[in-house]
Amino acid sequence: MMRVLLINPPTGTLIRDDRCQVPVANLSSGLRMPLDLACLASVFQAHGWESRVGDYQAYSDGADKFWREFHNFAPDLLIVNCTTPTLRADLAFCAQVKKARPGVKIIVKGAHFAVEAKEVLADALFIDAAIKQEAEFAAADLAAGWANEKILGLVYRAGEEIKENPNRPFEKNLDLAPLPARDLLDNDLYVRPDTGDRMTSVLVGRGCANNCAFCLVKAVAGSVDCRRSVDSVVNEIRECLDKYKIKNFYLRADNFTAERAWVAAFCEAIIRRGLPVEWFANSRVDTLDSGLSKLMKRAGCVMLGLGIESGNQEILDQANKKITLDQSRAAVVACRSAGILTYLFFVLGLPGESRETLEQTRRFALELDGDFVEFHEAYPFPGTEIFVSAQAGGLVADELFGRTVFNAPALAVVSKTELDVFRRRVTRQFYLRPRQIFRAVKRVRSWAMLKNYLRKAWRVMK
Ligand code: SF4
């Protein structure tokens, strides 16, 4: 029987969900279950492979654990989930693996390869192939033993040459996607950040019709919002409740509320079936309203992540975000009136950013007064428009493994150091307001929750 090991390498603890590549240390949420790897594993299982999933980034002794399990299991194929910020470390890790066991085939996946697979393979001679997109469907072809040249979206080494197959069209019928092999995961690793209860991710859909300049979605998931049927998602949730005793869910979609009718049907199905679940999702502020928020709350929605990005309208317009400050205000009010917590995301250092616009963002974050905030610094991922601007501005260095080094904020006047200082200062200011502390205390329902809040607070503040 062929053996496959699918891993998040022990090279930095990040959310490694394709377009979302964020160090967990920066988050007041936490580690997410490796949904993609678990889906790929289930494909290999279905084709008779012995499959294992290792989220080695999740353990303090992740590297030791990997080597022990790798030597014991002796896989024929290793699939490594890489991110752009950790690319160098991920590839160095793959090089060690190949050296230790030259016979193992190593395939990498991750958003970076949707754009720069050939460049990476040209330098990283120890990598056998890279999957550009729609990894679970490419995995089905690999597991079935198809020849490399027939697998859409695969870039592979053939002797001295690197061959790139045509892209795989984005699958519209996501009910064809495999369900994740949760039986291969250590499900206790993935918990709800406030209560500490088990939590899992469920794929709702992927793709987005918008084209924000800092976002990778077009490259990795396409510009059409494709989603699973309501029945398929609700049945998976039911299975998680029955088989894994998981009641908390991150419903993964690039914009959960993009399709109002789908969301309404989903909420009604959860309410009708009486499923005792609580869930989280991400939404655009212009696809939310008070009626929908109230229905979502009745169906168990606890919190929504909203991309606010900036407190300056010109920056939003330049980033092609296509939202207004008033729409952000209205979305936060709609959530609050429905009793849904808000987790507001901002991106600092976008093209046009200055000290004045940063100050406007600071004031806007305080004015919106969400329940949680996260300030990210714009990162020019290859495949985004800000990568092109950063490159034109000479801000991206040419390096050995693709062009991944971010020297300075893309075309912003402020330096990266200044952005770091700003991010920490405003995060502290946001959370240390008496009103915010009072609200957090009111939410605490147990000692475990209090401990979790204090731990997260410490992580975010330091
Ligand atoms: S709305 Fe913008 S940031 Fe959100 S997924 Fe779509 S393109 Fe990306």
Side-chain angles (χ1 to χ4, degrees):
M1 185 188 273
M2 297 288 279
R3 288 184 296 272
V4 59
L5 177 60
L6 303 106
I7 68 164
N8 279 335
T11 49
T13 312
L14 281 87
I15 305 281
R16 294 180 185 241
D17 282 358
D18 271 346
R19 79 178 176 90
C20 183
Q21 307 176 44
V22 194
V24 169
N26 288 359
L27 307 177
S28 38
S29 55
L31 203 60
R32 273 189 211 153
M33 161 264 202
L35 181 59
D36 295 357
L37 296 180
C39 288
L40 265 65
S42 104
V43 168
F44 281 98
Q45 275 183 325
H47 283 83
W49 289 54
E50 191 179 349
S51 308
R52 295 210 184 148
V53 179
D55 191 0
Y56 297 104
Q57 62 163 0
Y59 300 90
S60 55
D61 64 341
D64 292 344
K65 185 171 164 59
F66 168 80
W67 286 111
R68 254 191 335 268
E69 294 178 358
F70 177 74
H71 289 306
N72 286 340
F73 185 52
D76 302 286
L77 171 61
L78 181 74
I79 296 191
V80 184
N81 193 19
C82 303
T83 70
T84 299
T86 57
L87 189 65
R88 283 167 175 284
D90 295 341
L91 294 177
F93 182 78
C94 292
Q96 286 177 36
V97 173
K98 195 68 155 192
K99 196 167 165 207
R101 190 174 150 83
V104 69
K105 186 170 174 183
I106 301 180
I107 298 185
V108 288
K109 71 165 281 295
H112 196 87
F113 308 110
V115 185
E116 302 220 326
K118 244 183 148 170
E119 289 84 343
V120 171
L121 258 72
D123 289 316
L125 302 178
F126 39 87
I127 302 294
D128 295 282
I131 300 174
K132 291 178 72 178
Q133 66 279 104
E134 302 288 276
E136 64 276 66
F137 296 106
D141 297 347
L142 282 163
W146 286 25
N148 281 344
E149 61 267 25
K150 292 197 175 147
I151 301 177
L152 292 175
L154 193 75
V155 179
Y156 61 98
R157 201 174 295 289
E160 299 285 289
E161 271 185 88
I162 297 164
K163 303 222 169 159
E164 181 166 7
N165 292 340
N167 284 348
R168 182 175 291 268
F170 295 111
E171 178 58 59
K172 293 204 168 53
N173 179 7
L174 285 183
D175 282 358
L176 296 175
L179 294 184
R182 289 192 175 83
D183 52 322
L184 298 181
L185 301 178
D186 180 354
N187 288 296
D188 289 330
L189 282 176
Y190 312 105
V191 295
R192 192 171 140 167
D194 53 354
T195 62
D197 295 330
R198 270 186 177 188
M199 176 159 156
T200 194
S201 299
V202 169
L203 177 71
V204 165
R206 56 189 180 219
C208 175
N210 295 285
N211 195 15
C212 303
F214 51 86
C215 181
L216 266 173
V217 73
K218 269 212 159 49
V220 301
S223 51
V224 177
D225 178 297
C226 302
R227 45 186 75 201
R228 295 166 62 192
S229 64
V230 166
D231 275 353
S232 161
V233 173
V234 174
N235 288 341
E236 185 179 342
I237 288 175
R238 173 89 260 174
E239 186 193 75
C240 290
L241 279 165
D242 294 344
K243 192 167 165 191
Y244 300 100
K245 311 298 172 216
I246 300 177
K247 295 181 174 174
N248 297 284
F249 298 88
Y250 166 58
L251 301 182
R252 183 167 147 190
D254 289 305
N255 175 11
F256 181 76
T257 47
E259 283 195 42
R260 200 179 197 288
W262 189 98
V263 176
F266 167 78
C267 292
E268 277 152 14
I270 294 279
I271 295 166
R272 197 172 50 248
R273 292 212 209 172
L275 301 184
V277 293
E278 296 199 316
W279 49 272
F280 307 77
N282 290 327
S283 289
R284 268 178 70 92
V285 296
D286 58 351
T287 55
L288 256 187
D289 58 60
S290 160
L292 190 63
S293 306
K294 285 183 179 143
L295 181 61
M296 287 162 63
K297 175 68 184 175
R298 282 179 54 218
C301 179
V302 175
M303 183 163 73
L304 278 181
L306 301 173
I308 308 294
E309 325 302 5
S310 174
N312 176 280
Q313 189 61 50
E314 276 171 36
I315 299 250
L316 289 172
D317 295 343
Q318 274 193 58
N320 204 25
K321 182 71 193 181
K322 296 205 166 114
I323 58 170
T324 64
L325 300 179
D326 278 344
Q327 284 172 323
S328 292
R329 291 183 178 103
V332 173
V333 168
C335 287
R336 182 163 300 137
S337 66
I340 294 175
L341 301 176
T342 51
Y343 197 124
L344 309 182
F345 298 101
F346 292 85
V347 183
L348 311 175
L350 284 166
E353 190 82 279
S354 66
R355 290 183 192 112
E356 290 71 39
T357 60
L358 281 177
E359 174 56 19
Q360 287 167 357
T361 294
R362 184 190 71 82
R363 286 206 299 266
F364 195 49
L366 296 176
E367 178 203 323
L368 288 179
D369 194 25
D371 297 284
F372 301 91
V373 280
E374 216 167 274
F375 296 95
H376 294 280
E377 291 172 29
Y379 188 105
F381 290 103
T384 61
E385 280 186 24
I386 62 165
F387 176 76
V388 178
S389 332
Q391 212 175 22
L395 295 172
V396 182
D398 274 326
E399 293 288 336
L400 184 62
F401 293 126
R403 298 177 298 280
T404 59
V405 175
F406 189 22
N407 296 333
L411 307 183
V413 174
V414 279
S415 70
K416 170 142 179 52
T417 315
E418 234 177 304
L419 285 187
D420 287 344
V421 171
F422 175 88
R423 184 167 60 77
R424 280 198 208 97
R425 178 169 66 83
V426 181
T427 304
R428 280 197 201 112
Q429 189 182 3
F430 180 89
Y431 283 113
L432 291 178
R433 291 170 305 152
R435 183 199 317 210
Q436 193 66 22
I437 295 172
F438 178 67
R439 258 198 228 138
V441 169
K442 255 181 43 183
R443 284 197 293 267
V444 170
R445 301 194 301 250
S446 65
W447 278 110
M449 223 168 149
L450 178 64
K451 262 196 329 211
N452 287 329
Y453 263 118
L454 291 174
R455 206 172 36 226
K456 303 286 173 206
W458 171 247
R459 194 164 74 189
V460 169
M461 300 294 171
K462 72 179 181 186

